């Protein structure tokens, strides 16, 4: 009892990590020619913030996420998690991709257990897998295989697979992009609830201005490729937010203007 | 509107189905089973009615057995309602039972009774049964020898092929050295090595094992390699962000993802290793079903050849069934797999 109460007390208040992106530039080599994708990007994220990265499609947002995850190394600049240089992937920074990319040969439970198994701590911490499945409401499907799940359920499993590691930074790469609009609205609310409960730092890549404004307390707008930070907007509104909120509508108008879409608005 | 016309159609259709004569219903339910019984009675009669043109000792037994099968088919059909699953199984297979009975009857009449087919080359069914009863020990020895040789060579070839395939798919350095060798040696039919293998290996058994392993290893290697190479990078990205080490990426990501390909390779390897097994037994090894076939031909014992062929076909089919059963067990997560 005391132990669990203590664990609660430790995990609840802002478990998120700070993230510093310092003058990061990156480029791809395509047949010998260099294609710049990120140009001198500097962002400083506070522990526990929910930051949305918004920009035209193909501008290099997802590349930035791969750098933050440690999957790729930047050509120039530095990334730091809590003052520590990011050089490799680490389970404290987990990515949820646009495709759930569940392993089709593993059951739902085994998919969620992936991180703990890879770190060699599954045997002693099986309860965490059950808890993560409970968290996303998929405990009844623990023995199902991915091909038996709907798109929304699969993305929930992917979310549970990330959350089971108790990440300090949760990286979301358009995780709701391929879902139908109803599932999407439900999962947006679930995301906010999870973030408020767990307190991890959240980075969300999206190209949907409304989604960014409903979820995040900070929206960073990127330019076309090579991506530069165009605007850094605070969204000081309490949760749950309403899509019809005139304050958010005004922000949305400004953001679309920054993306060059004010004519169509 | 449309719903009304639909229900009208249903209403007018209902009395029509109930007016179907009972006889037609009975024929649809039990016709095939009764026909099967008739076909097997015909076989029994054809065995016992005419004199054999040759000297076969099992004609009488075959006739009796045919009558017993006919009786079982008849009772099984009439009493299908009381037999549960067995009755259902019989009902499903009844058409095949008819075909088999007719085929055996024609065979019996065309060979043993009137010799329409030239005799030593086309032995009657009772001659083949005679082989199974009188030459059983030798046949069993051959079966065991074949299984031993095949199993050893296949397991060695499949293991080496699998490990090689994973290594090529995973490591660029291994690929650099092994790929050219594979391209040079792999497409060569393993049987082309026969003369060299029987000279260079200490025993014909080890030579044959090597050849069977070679025939198995090539397809297994290529398909395992292609399976590992085609694993989506997204899986590796996911595993890496969750803290996976390289060994985890190989054992828990690359290999399970490649397994469907591996089984295609194992299946192809099994097919080509059967061919090598039979040729090796015919040429070098003094045991096994291939050798039995060769020996039977030397003595013009045609019934023995047919008997050995039937056993060989059952063994090969059984091996493939076993492989597919293992695959279905390991790959339950796949949807839409072919049922063998």
């Amino acid at each position: 009892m005391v132990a669990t109460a203590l664990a609660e007390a430790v995990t609840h208040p802002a478990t998120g990590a700070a993230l510093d992106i310092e003058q990061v530039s990156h480029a791809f080599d395509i047949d010998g020619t260099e294609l710049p994708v990120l140009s001198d990007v500097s962002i400083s994220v506070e522990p526990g913030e929910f930051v949305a990265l918004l920009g035209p499609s193909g501008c290099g947002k997802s590349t930035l996420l791969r750098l933050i995850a440690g999957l790729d190394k930047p050509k120039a600049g530095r990334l730091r998690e809590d003052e520590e240089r990011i050089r490799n992937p680490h389970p404290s920074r987990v990515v949820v991709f646009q495709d759930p990319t569940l392993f089709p040969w593993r059951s739902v439970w085994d998919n969620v257990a992936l991180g703990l198994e890879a770190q060699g701590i599954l045997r002693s911490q099986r309860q965490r897998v059950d808890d993560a499945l409970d968290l996303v409401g998929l405990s009844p499907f623990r023995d199902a295989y991915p091909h038996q799940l709907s798109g929304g359920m699969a993305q929930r499993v992917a979310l549970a697979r990330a959350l089971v590691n108790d990440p300090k930074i949760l990286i979301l790469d358009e995780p709701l992009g391929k879902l139908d609009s109803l599932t999407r609205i439900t999962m947006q609310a679930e995301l906010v609830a999870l973030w408020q409960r767990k307190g991890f730092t959240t980075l969300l890549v999206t190209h949907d201005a409304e989604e960014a404004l409903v979820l995040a307390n900070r929206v960073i707008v990127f330019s076309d490729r090579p991506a530069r930070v165009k605007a850094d907007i605070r969204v000081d509104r309490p949760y749950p937010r309403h899509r019809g909120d005139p304050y958010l509508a005004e922000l949305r108008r400004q953001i679309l203007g920054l993306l060059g879409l004010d004519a169509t608005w | 509107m449309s719903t009304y016309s639909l229900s009208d159609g249903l209403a007018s259709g209902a009395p029509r189905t109930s007016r179907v004569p009972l006889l037609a219903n009975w024929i649809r339910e039990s016709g095939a089973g009764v026909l099967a019984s008739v076909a097997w009675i015909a076989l029994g009669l054809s065995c016992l009615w005419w004199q054999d043109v040759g000297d076969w000792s099992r004609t009488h037994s075959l006739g009796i057995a045919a009558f017993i099968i006919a009786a079982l088919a008849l009772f099984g059909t009439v009493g299908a309602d009381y037999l549960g699953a067995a009755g259902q199984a019989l009902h499903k297979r009844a058409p095949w039972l008819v075909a088999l009975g007719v085929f055996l009857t024609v065979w019996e009449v065309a060979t043993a009774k009137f010799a329409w087919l030239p005799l030593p080359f086309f032995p009657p069914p009772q001659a083949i049964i005679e082989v199974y009863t009188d030459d059983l020990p030798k046949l069993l020895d051959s079966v065991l020898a074949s299984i031993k040789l095949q199993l050893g060579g296949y397991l060695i070839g499949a293991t080496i092929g699998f490990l090689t395939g994973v290594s090529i798919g995973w490591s660029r350095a291994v690929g650099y050295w092994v790929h050219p060798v594979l391209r040079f040696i792999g497409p060569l039919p393993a049987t082309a090595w026969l003369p060299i293998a029987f000279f260079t290996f200490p025993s014909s058994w080890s030579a044959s094992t090597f050849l069977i392993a070679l025939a198995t290893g090539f397809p297994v290697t290529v398909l395992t390699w292609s399976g590992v190479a085609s694993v989506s990078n997204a899986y590796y990205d996911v595993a890496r962000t969750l803290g996976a080490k390289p060994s985890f990426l190989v054992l828990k990501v690359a290999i399970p993802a490649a397994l469907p390909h591996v089984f295609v390779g194992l299946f192809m390897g099994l097919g080509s290793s059967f061919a090598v097994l039979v040729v090796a037994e015919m040429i070098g090894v003094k045991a096994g079903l291939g050798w039995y076939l060769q020996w039977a031909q030397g003595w013009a014992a045609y019934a023995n050849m047919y008997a050995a062929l039937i056993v060989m076909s059952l063994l090969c089919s059984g091996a493939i069934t076993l492989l597919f059963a293992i695959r279905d067990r390991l790959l339950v997560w796949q949807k839409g797999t072919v049922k063998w």
Side-chain angles (χ1 to χ4, degrees):
Chain A
M1 276 301 280
V2 180
T4 52
L6 204 67
E8 292 260 311
V10 173
T11 48
H12 259 251
T15 47
L19 175 73
D20 288 298
I21 303 168
E22 297 164 4
Q23 292 155 355
V24 164
S25 297
H26 197 59
F28 291 136
D29 285 321
I30 294 171
D31 297 330
T33 56
E34 202 163 77
L35 182 73
V37 279
L38 293 174
S39 159
D40 198 23
V41 174
S42 294
I43 303 167
S44 178
V45 180
E46 302 281 314
E49 255 188 326
F50 195 137
V51 180
L53 309 177
L54 195 68
S57 99
C59 77
K61 306 172 299 240
S62 295
T63 308
L64 183 60
L65 285 199
R66 289 182 66 84
L67 299 180
I68 296 168
L71 288 167
D72 296 323
K73 290 186 177 61
K75 295 257 153 133
R78 262 190 306 216
L79 296 111
R80 282 195 299 219
E81 175 192 358
D82 274 348
E83 301 305 315
E84 201 173 315
R85 193 79 184 268
I86 295 173
R87 294 171 199 277
N88 285 304
H90 190 277
S92 71
R93 303 179 304 270
V94 186
V95 190
V96 179
F97 295 95
Q98 183 172 16
D99 288 312
T101 40
L102 302 179
F103 290 10
W105 58 87
R106 283 173 167 248
S107 67
V108 165
W109 197 92
D110 288 333
N111 262 290
V112 175
L114 202 64
L116 302 182
E117 192 182 332
Q119 295 155 49
I121 53 172
L122 177 61
R123 199 160 299 191
S124 56
Q125 320 234 337
R126 302 176 66 86
Q127 186 59 42
R128 281 169 69 180
V129 180
D130 299 329
D131 293 345
L133 274 173
D134 271 342
L135 204 60
V136 297
L138 281 179
S139 297
F141 292 89
R142 46 181 291 146
D143 295 323
Y145 281 98
H147 72 81
Q148 297 165 312
L149 304 178
S150 72
M153 282 154 80
Q155 200 54 275
R156 275 202 185 87
V157 176
L159 197 59
R161 181 177 64 184
L163 294 174
V164 76
N165 301 287
D166 275 333
K168 293 191 161 150
I169 301 178
L170 183 66
I171 303 168
L172 305 164
D173 189 359
E174 291 186 49
L176 312 180
K178 285 188 176 169
L179 301 180
D180 64 273
S181 55
L182 287 177
T183 314
R184 203 173 157 146
I185 290 170
T186 322
M187 284 197 66
Q188 284 173 349
E190 286 174 19
L191 264 181
V192 168
L194 278 171
W195 164 68
Q196 288 181 316
R197 217 167 119 191
K198 295 276 184 180
F200 41 67
T201 309
T202 308
L203 293 170
L204 169 76
V205 156
T206 179
H207 49 233
D208 179 350
E210 188 183 273
E211 180 170 279
L213 288 168
V214 168
L215 295 180
N217 44 27
R218 199 171 148 198
V219 178
I220 293 173
V221 183
F222 285 95
S223 69
D224 257 326
R225 202 186 52 235
R228 284 172 295 101
V229 175
K230 221 172 181 178
D232 190 338
I233 299 162
R234 296 224 142 261
V235 188
D236 276 326
R237 297 303 264 186
Y239 298 93
R241 293 174 179 167
H242 295 283
R243 267 148 246 275
D245 185 338
Y247 178 82
L248 295 183
E250 170 56 23
L251 276 180
R252 181 164 182 245
R253 200 189 57 76
Q254 285 177 23
I255 288 171
L256 289 175
L258 283 166
L259 293 169
L261 293 169
D262 32 359
T264 52
W265 167 244
Chain B
M1 276 303 281
S2 61
T3 53
Y4 277 107
S5 60
L6 189 66
S7 58
D8 281 352
L10 282 174
S12 62
R16 216 180 299 144
T17 48
S18 69
R19 257 187 257 120
V20 167
L22 276 171
L23 185 65
N25 238 342
W26 182 81
I27 287 176
R28 200 172 51 226
E29 282 301 311
S30 315
V34 172
L35 222 60
S37 182
V38 170
W40 284 83
I41 287 173
L43 174 61
L45 284 177
S46 72
C47 282
L48 304 180
W49 192 269
W50 294 289
Q51 278 296 314
D52 283 348
V53 295
D55 180 25
W56 294 293
S57 58
R58 305 286 169 198
T59 311
H60 192 70
S61 316
L62 177 63
I64 302 295
F67 283 129
I68 292 173
I69 292 173
L72 287 177
L74 191 62
F75 289 129
T77 305
V78 174
D81 296 342
Y82 308 102
L83 290 173
Q88 280 293 317
L90 178 69
H91 181 71
K92 230 171 82 186
R93 289 170 181 78
W96 262 108
L97 212 54
V98 177
L100 207 61
V102 170
F103 172 73
L104 287 173
T105 308
V106 172
W107 181 10
E108 173 69 25
V109 171
T111 54
K113 304 304 176 184
F114 298 103
W116 295 327
L117 292 169
L119 239 189
F121 309 110
F122 293 96
Q126 57 262 46
I128 291 171
I129 290 174
E130 204 177 316
V131 174
Y132 289 137
T133 54
D134 296 12
D135 205 19
L136 191 65
K138 196 193 248 166
L139 205 54
L140 274 183
D141 280 350
S142 302
V143 167
L144 282 180
S146 282
I147 291 179
K148 231 172 83 185
L149 187 57
Q150 165 72 24
L151 203 63
Y154 184 73
L155 289 182
I156 293 171
T159 309
I160 293 177
F162 176 74
L163 294 177
T164 314
V166 172
S167 319
I168 305 176
W170 190 256
S171 152
R172 206 161 287 186
V174 175
Y176 176 82
W177 289 106
V178 177
H179 182 208
V181 179
L182 197 68
R183 276 183 71 168
F184 186 66
I185 292 178
L188 202 62
T191 41
W193 289 87
L194 260 169
I196 296 175
F198 278 115
F199 275 120
T200 47
F201 276 79
S203 65
S204 61
W205 181 82
S206 56
S208 317
T209 302
F210 165 74
L211 293 177
I212 291 168
L214 199 65
T216 309
F218 177 58
V220 174
T221 305
V222 172
L223 276 138
T224 305
W225 167 29
S226 96
V228 171
S230 66
V231 177
S232 161
N233 271 328
Y235 291 142
Y236 295 129
D237 283 348
V238 165
R240 282 173 63 207
T241 59
L242 294 174
K245 291 166 194 66
S247 63
F248 188 91
L249 295 183
V250 176
L251 296 174
K252 301 282 180 138
V253 183
I255 288 178
L259 223 46
H261 287 254
V262 175
F263 271 97
V264 177
L266 287 172
F267 172 67
M268 289 167 59
L270 198 56
S272 52
S273 67
F274 286 150
V276 177
L277 171 75
V278 174
V279 175
E281 284 178 344
M282 280 180 169
I283 291 181
V285 190
K286 292 277 172 283
L289 282 169
W291 167 80
Y292 188 95
L293 271 176
Q294 189 82 341
W295 167 85
Q297 194 208 16
W299 289 95
Y302 294 99
N304 296 58
M305 291 174 62
Y306 286 102
L309 269 181
I310 292 170
V311 172
M312 204 184 267
S313 137
L314 288 176
L315 279 179
C316 294
S317 176
I320 289 177
T321 305
L322 188 66
L323 182 70
F324 273 64
I326 294 172
R327 183 201 65 168
D328 289 346
R329 231 200 146 89
L330 281 177
L331 303 186
V332 276
W333 51 272
Q334 265 197 319
K335 51 176 175 179
T337 49
V338 178
K339 288 278 167 275
W340 161 251

